[in-house]
Amino acid sequence: MSTEKQIIISGVGGQGMILCGTLIAQAAVLHDGRRATLSSEYGVETRGTFAKSDVIISDEEIYFPDATEPDLVLCLAQPAYERYAGTLPPDVPLVYNTDEVTPRETGGRQLGVAIDHLARQLGNPATANIITMGIAAGLLDAVTPEGAKAAIAGFFSKKGEKVIALNQKAFEEGLKIGRELKK
């Protein structure tokens, strides 16, 4: 049985999809002792065009860095949703941001979460990507909460304890949501 988990995190430039994927991969490799690959795609423009990160986490060798059979797809913006809605097997969850995406009936497993709203409630809209990281961790158990929080602390270490605490809280909120969605 494979321990591999493939995650696609998608949105538009400026939403932090690349950082989200990077932190998940770092959590897996640096803190959980697993293997991971990260591949990213984004437009030449800085903001507003399609962007995504493919993260693959495994206890075994990973031979191809792109998620070809995702276990989870997260869509934070309409262009990302349009790319994946209706293309996934029925058992693969597609989590979409209800603040940015208008869903359509596709027959797949679609789960809506008000990610932007939650980020604003936490006090900083920029934490939406870290909430997304938590949702992925909660749904798939691909990284441990401890590993994820350590990766967050490492990345934000120069920003100070307040920023680290805010982002770890955002992760915890997403983790709770992910665990609820898994039920």
Side-chain angles (χ1 to χ4, degrees):
M1 181 174 142
S2 175
T3 60
E4 185 173 283
K5 299 291 182 190
Q6 297 186 18
I7 306 166
I8 296 173
I9 308 153
S10 59
V12 294
Q15 289 184 305
M17 300 301 93
I18 309 304
L19 175 59
C20 182
T22 300
L23 290 175
I24 291 171
Q26 285 180 351
V29 172
L30 299 176
H31 304 288
D32 293 342
R34 302 187 73 200
R35 297 174 186 202
T37 63
L38 168 69
S39 64
S40 300
E41 176 184 329
Y42 47 89
V44 294
E45 298 88 352
T46 308
R47 297 188 179 276
T49 59
F50 178 78
K52 76 168 183 148
S53 285
D54 288 1
V55 182
I56 301 174
I57 298 169
S58 181
D59 293 323
E60 303 164 12
E61 285 290 324
I62 301 168
Y63 295 103
F64 187 69
D66 293 340
T68 56
E69 297 179 13
D71 297 288
L72 172 64
V73 176
L74 299 123
C75 298
L76 268 70
Q78 195 72 38
Y81 176 85
E82 294 302 331
R83 182 174 281 207
Y84 296 108
T87 67
L88 303 171
D91 61 327
V92 174
L94 183 148
V95 177
Y96 64 91
N97 180 5
T98 59
D99 298 311
E100 296 285 331
V101 172
T102 302
R104 55 186 165 82
E105 184 56 47
T106 64
R109 185 173 173 216
Q110 297 188 60
L111 307 165
V113 178
I115 296 170
D116 289 350
H117 177 75
L118 181 55
R120 286 190 302 275
Q121 281 186 321
L122 288 171
N124 190 333
T127 60
N129 61 337
I130 305 301
I131 293 168
T132 303
M133 179 184 177
I135 292 170
L139 264 168
L140 290 185
D141 297 318
V143 295
T144 65
E146 298 78 21
K149 288 180 187 178
I152 290 166
F155 180 80
F156 292 108
S157 64
K158 293 181 180 163
K159 302 253 184 198
E161 289 300 316
K162 265 180 105 169
V163 173
I164 292 170
L166 173 65
N167 281 281
Q168 288 180 336
K169 181 173 171 85
F171 172 81
E172 289 171 5
E173 291 298 318
L175 183 68
K176 280 192 259 181
I177 292 167
R179 287 178 173 162
E180 281 296 314
L181 293 174
K182 187 163 74 169
K183 293 179 181 177

